[in-house]
Amino acid sequence: MENHPVREALLELLRTRDELTSTDAARELGGNTGLYSFHLRKLAEQGLVEDVPGATGRIRPWRLARGGPKEPELAELNRRLEDESYQRWRDNRAQAPAEWRVDEAFSEVVYLTPEEMAAMGDAIRSMITLFRHRETQPAARPSDAAPVAVVARLFPMLDPE
């Protein structure tokens, strides 16, 4: 897939929510709804997004494509967007309010069985689930809450040989 900044921004937004309309995208990213509607249709042609089933009327919600494992191309794009978002944070952290100038980035190597690795992934997903409703229910957000990227990568370290 070509590196198109509007499409990358749309995919990044869709990674943080269950669905997105072109109106939502315009509100979040600026610009007009026609631009985002066009690019959402192009992402659908590439099999990366799809219409939300059961939607009716003029509002057309989209979601990341379902039905099996993530396409390797989308998974790679997500990793690149995560890295770019983190670098943007590091480059601009001095402009953030004082209480938001720190992060909780860490990295560890631990020895796990496949079952333990799966359990750790489940525990992380369970913790995220505690806060996911705040995306669609703004009234549930504390007044000082802000969007925070949560990125976890659990993978076996392969012997370099």
Side-chain angles (χ1 to χ4, degrees):
M1 183 174 83
E2 66 185 70
N3 288 341
H4 193 287
V6 171
R7 292 179 197 163
E8 288 180 13
L10 288 167
L11 289 170
E12 188 171 2
L13 271 177
L14 278 165
R15 286 177 42 246
T16 66
R17 61 191 69 209
D18 292 330
E19 60 185 54
L20 180 77
T21 66
S22 58
T23 302
D24 297 330
R27 184 174 38 257
E28 298 267 342
L29 302 171
N32 67 63
T33 59
L35 171 74
Y36 298 112
S37 179
F38 171 81
H39 286 290
L40 284 163
R41 287 191 310 272
K42 290 297 180 187
L43 288 168
E45 288 173 11
Q46 296 170 352
L48 299 175
V49 302
E50 63 188 14
D51 285 309
V52 173
T56 60
R58 291 187 56 202
I59 296 176
R60 186 176 187 184
W62 299 86
R63 67 181 186 191
L64 290 176
R66 306 248 164 102
K70 272 188 175 175
E71 293 188 25
E73 190 174 273
L74 180 58
E76 179 58 34
L77 176 62
N78 284 343
R79 282 190 290 281
R80 190 164 37 86
L81 290 171
E82 290 162 0
D83 293 342
E84 289 172 8
S85 293
Y86 186 63
Q87 187 59 50
R88 187 169 44 252
W89 152 249
R90 291 176 48 97
D91 292 345
N92 296 292
R93 107 172 50 195
Q95 286 75 44
E99 65 272 17
W100 287 104
R101 289 186 189 154
V102 296
D103 61 39
E104 292 292 335
F106 55 90
S107 178
E108 295 286 334
V109 174
V110 295
Y111 287 78
L112 303 172
T113 66
E115 294 80 16
E116 291 168 330
M117 187 172 84
M120 186 178 287
D122 289 343
I124 293 167
R125 281 187 289 278
S126 292
M127 184 61 103
I128 292 168
T129 299
L130 295 174
F131 304 98
R132 179 162 275 154
H133 70 283
R134 293 179 178 178
E135 175 65 30
T136 58
Q137 299 173 20
R141 298 177 199 160
S143 62
D144 59 344
V148 172
V150 178
V151 179
R153 296 177 183 165
L154 304 174
F155 57 90
M157 309 252 329
L158 300 177
D159 192 358
E161 297 176 0

